[in-house]
Every structure is written in structure tokens, then in C-alpha cells.
């Protein structure tokens, strides 16, 4: 079975969705893991990719996504 690694974390679901969409547009296979508590609204959303896609994912996130 493949190993999955976290390449992005955010407290905002829309940011995780944007990252996922950008990675998918470049042929990668990300998944979002919701670690946000639904009762108290703390925690975060993680974007995971398979180990062999980590470097490409990190490069795309750095060069193509800016939330400022």
C-alpha cells in the first residue's frame, strides 16, 4: 500500500479545496482529510498525496498558490 504525506494544512476548507484542485489539474492525486472538530470548530484540513508525488506537489503549491 502507498504511503500518504501531508503537503498542505489550513483552518479554511476553501484553501484546501483550491490546493487540491490545482494539484489535480497537474495530474496529481490529492485527497483532503478533515481534522476539524465539528462541535468546537478547531483543527484544520490537510491535503495528502502519495509519497512519490510530494516533491511535485510542494513545488506547485510554492509556485502557483498564494493566499495573501
Amino acid at each position: 500500500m502507498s504511503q500518504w504525506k501531508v503537503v498542505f494544512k489550513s483552518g479554511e476548507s476553501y484553501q484546501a479545496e483550491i490546493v487540491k484542485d490545482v494539484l489535480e489539474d497537474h495530474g496529481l492525486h490529492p485527497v483532503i482529510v478533515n481534522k476539524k472538530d465539528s462541535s468546537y470548530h478547531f483543527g484544520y484540513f490537510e491535503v495528502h498525496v502519495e509519497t512519490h508525488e510530494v516533491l511535485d506537489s510542494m513545488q506547485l503549491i510554492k509556485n502557483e498558490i498564494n493566499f495573501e
Side-chain angles (χ1 to χ4, degrees), residues 9-59:
K9 286 184 186 180
S10 176
E12 303 295 333
S13 64
Y14 77 91
Q15 290 181 341
E17 289 290 341
I18 290 170
V19 170
K20 179 179 180 268
D21 289 345
V22 168
L23 296 179
E24 285 179 337
D25 287 346
H26 286 85
L28 302 175
H29 304 93
V31 295
I32 295 176
V33 177
N34 182 349
K35 293 194 172 184
K36 190 135 187 153
D37 183 273
S38 60
S39 299
Y40 298 103
H41 304 290
F42 65 86
Y44 44 87
F45 298 88
E46 295 179 342
V47 178
H48 292 230
V49 296
E50 293 182 74
T51 304
H52 68 276
E53 296 179 337
V54 170
L55 293 176
D56 291 336
S57 298
M58 296 298 288
Q59 196 68 25

